[in-house]
Every structure is written in structure tokens, then in C-alpha cells.
Amino acid sequence: MSGSTEERRAGEESFSAQVKAELCREKMGRPCCALAECYGLLLFCNTFQSGEVRLITTSQPVAQRLARLFRRALDVTFDEAPENAGAGGQLVFRITGADKLARILDAFGQDAAGLVNHHVNYGLLEENCCRAAFLRGAFLAGGSVTDPQKRYHLEFATSHYYVARELAPLMAELELYPKTSVRKGNYVTYFKQSEAIADFLTTVGAPVAAMEVINAKLEKNLRNRVNRRYNCDMANVDKAVAAAQGQIAVIRRLQDGPDWDKLPDALRATAEERVAHPDLSLGELSKLLGVSKSCLNHRLRRLQELDRAQG
């Protein structure tokens, strides 16, 4: 049960680690659900063979849950476990006793005398509560989720082809629909949509983390709307400034021409106010002149026509 890249960052509690801590606060529920959670842990852990079970985690809450979970579900204790589950670093749990391994394999419908069959035994997961518990265990062992403030990505990774292939239809029973890929020899089952990640986290027992994902999506949407509005406003300002500069250039040419003093007083007043207030919008300039916006537009167009005629 190797921790995700984020979890390995010294001194930093990642979002993935926070999710696992929340999941470990979930009650173990009925014996069948505890067994299902153990099953998920084992199929996604570091080693699950007829001669050894080995689970490695960097999560202290997961380490503290393991002993209680295996004792409740399988009446099994670890042959090797960290003396202090809160010590940090990699925490290794091993079961090597033949009797214990035989009990574990028998509980999951496997023969201790043969090779471990890395398939999902759907017969152990007939109820939705057991399916959710199985997924919780699988995520604690082989799952990770990215901080939603950065991007949306939740995944399970395993080296067992059939376990990965059979995970997706199991999720579909809970109306969860992941995608799959292969990466560096591992089979990856993943979600990239915020809503799907939130649904998954809620299903397996991490509603607080699910709410963080939803809030992150809302915050991003709000920021995007604000940015779009700001960009639109700035574009309008740029257009208004460009238009004002063009109008002022027209007026300067008219002022330098021979017919400036012959212009009607209304046109000269409009031109002078435009030059004096280049930063005003047409609406603001029309109020300053005490005329309607359509009247102001008409006067500015008339000035442009006179400029063209003069040129």
C-alpha cells in the first residue's frame, strides 16, 4: 500500500492524505462491510500472496485502522507491525503465519495451497454497503486524489490486470463510471471530472472532502466569470479609448482647417468637450453636454463627415 507522490512530501499533509484520514474515521459497520474493506485493501496492497501479506503506508490514520480492521473482519493480528503507528515514514505491516494466511484466503474464497487469484470476488460484494466498503479499502491501499485547487484527478493503481478490469463494473453498480489506462506497467482506474470525484468520495465515506471538491469547482467558476467580465470590460474600455482618440484626431484636423470658425456652435462645443475629456465614455460625455447619446453620436458623425470633406 504505497503512498501517493503527494503523501511522500516530508512535512506536508496533502489532500490525498486528508481524504484517507477522513475515511479512517468512518465506522467499520457490519462484519460483512469490514470484510469487504479488508478485501479492497488486500487486492490493492503491496503483496497479497499465499506465503505473505504485506501492506505499506505512510498514512498514520490508515496504520492505526489496519490492526482494528483485520481483527474485526478476520480475527487476525499482524506478525509484523510498527511499534509506533504515529512515527511517520513508511509503516510496514506483514502477515506470514501459515494459519493466518489460510484463514484470510479462505475468507475470500481462495485455496491456501495454490496461487492467490487476483480477481474481484463479486459474491462477497452483493450489497451496496459492502461495495462502498471495498472501494474504501482499495482507495486506502492504492488510491490517490489531487488537490482540487490545482486540478481534478482521482485514481487507483494496481499491477493486477483483472483486478483493474473488474473494478470499473463494480463501480458502475454504485453509478460511478471511471476511465482506465496503463501507466508504467500499472493499470490505472481514474476520474477527472469534479462531480464524479465528489460522488466517489461521498460514496466511500468522505463527504467533507467531497464538499471541498465541490467548493473548489464553484470558486474556479466564479474566478473564471470574474476574469471573463474583467476582460470584456477592459476590451470595451480599449475600444472606447481608441474611438475617442480617433474622434480627437478628427477634431484637431478640423481646428487646423479654414472652416473651424464657421462650424455651428453645437458642433464646436461638442468637439471642445471631447478634446477636453478624452477619457469619458459617450454616455458620460452626453450627460456633460446635456444631450442624448444619439444626439452626441450624430454630432460626432457630422464632424467626421466634415473632416472627410475637408480632406
Side-chain angles (χ1 to χ4, degrees):
M1 178 171 30
S2 55
S4 67
T5 300
E6 290 176 306
E7 290 173 315
R8 294 192 185 104
R9 294 175 184 172
E12 178 181 353
E13 185 181 18
S14 68
F15 183 69
S16 191
Q18 292 175 37
V19 171
K20 292 185 179 184
E22 183 180 356
L23 291 177
C24 288
R25 293 192 291 271
E26 179 76 4
K27 293 181 179 179
M28 293 178 190
R30 298 185 298 174
C32 60
C33 292
L35 185 66
E37 186 173 335
C38 275
Y39 194 28
L41 279 158
L42 289 167
L43 286 182
F44 280 83
C45 74
N46 300 82
T47 304
F48 178 33
Q49 301 294 347
S50 57
E52 178 190 22
V53 165
R54 178 160 48 94
L55 304 99
I56 302 175
T57 183
T58 57
S59 168
Q60 295 176 17
V62 172
Q64 292 162 3
R65 185 178 179 86
L66 284 176
R68 294 186 292 113
L69 184 63
F70 272 70
R71 195 162 48 242
R72 174 176 173 76
L74 298 162
D75 194 24
V76 165
T77 58
F78 288 98
D79 296 315
E80 179 186 326
E83 292 185 4
N84 180 8
Q90 284 199 338
L91 304 167
V92 181
F93 295 79
R94 295 179 70 233
I95 298 173
T96 53
D99 291 344
K100 295 178 182 179
L101 291 168
R103 188 181 308 162
I104 292 172
L105 292 170
D106 181 67
F108 299 124
Q110 302 206 34
D111 183 1
L115 295 174
V116 171
N117 189 6
H118 289 100
H119 282 269
V120 176
N121 184 346
Y122 294 114
L124 297 171
L125 308 172
E126 294 183 351
E127 301 293 332
N128 280 347
C129 58
C130 294
R131 292 169 183 148
F134 174 87
L135 294 177
R136 180 166 58 250
F139 183 81
L140 291 175
S144 64
V145 57
T146 303
D147 186 340
Q149 295 292 344
K150 299 175 182 177
R151 63 190 180 99
Y152 306 118
H153 186 84
L154 184 148
E155 70 173 40
F156 296 81
T158 177
S159 60
H160 305 304
Y161 168 73
Y162 289 106
V163 171
R165 191 181 72 172
E166 294 157 0
L167 185 64
L170 177 68
M171 288 187 177
E173 295 291 334
L174 296 170
E175 298 185 356
L176 302 167
Y177 304 99
K179 296 182 179 180
T180 58
S181 67
V182 179
R183 186 177 66 230
K184 296 180 179 179
N186 282 324
Y187 302 98
V188 180
T189 304
Y190 65 93
F191 298 97
K192 279 190 172 296
Q193 299 79 30
S194 58
E195 295 83 359
I197 292 172
D199 287 344
F200 173 84
L201 293 174
T202 301
T203 297
V204 299
V208 174
M211 187 58 66
E212 287 193 42
V213 174
I214 293 170
N215 287 340
K217 179 67 176 291
L218 293 174
E219 289 171 7
K220 287 180 182 179
N221 287 343
L222 177 60
R223 284 197 298 270
N224 289 338
R225 285 198 297 271
V226 170
N227 287 338
R228 284 196 296 271
R229 178 63 183 271
Y230 173 78
N231 291 336
C232 181
D233 289 346
M234 289 305 297
N236 289 337
V237 168
D238 290 343
K239 287 169 61 178
V241 169
Q245 293 302 317
Q247 293 158 4
I248 291 171
V250 165
I251 293 166
R252 293 295 189 198
R253 287 194 294 271
L254 289 173
Q255 288 175 330
D256 292 338
D259 298 325
W260 172 253
D261 292 333
K262 299 177 184 178
L263 293 182
D265 292 343
L267 285 183
R268 281 207 312 274
T270 297
E272 289 167 355
E273 292 296 344
R274 175 77 284 181
V275 172
H277 302 92
D279 56 330
L280 293 186
S281 67
L282 291 183
E284 293 168 331
L285 187 60
S286 66
K287 290 180 181 179
L288 180 66
L289 289 165
V291 298
S292 67
K293 192 173 177 180
S294 61
C295 177
L296 175 61
N297 271 318
H298 174 74
R299 291 181 183 181
L300 291 171
R301 282 196 299 272
R302 181 61 181 149
L303 290 169
Q304 290 172 337
E305 291 168 358
L306 291 171
D307 176 56
R308 284 195 294 271
Q310 177 178 278

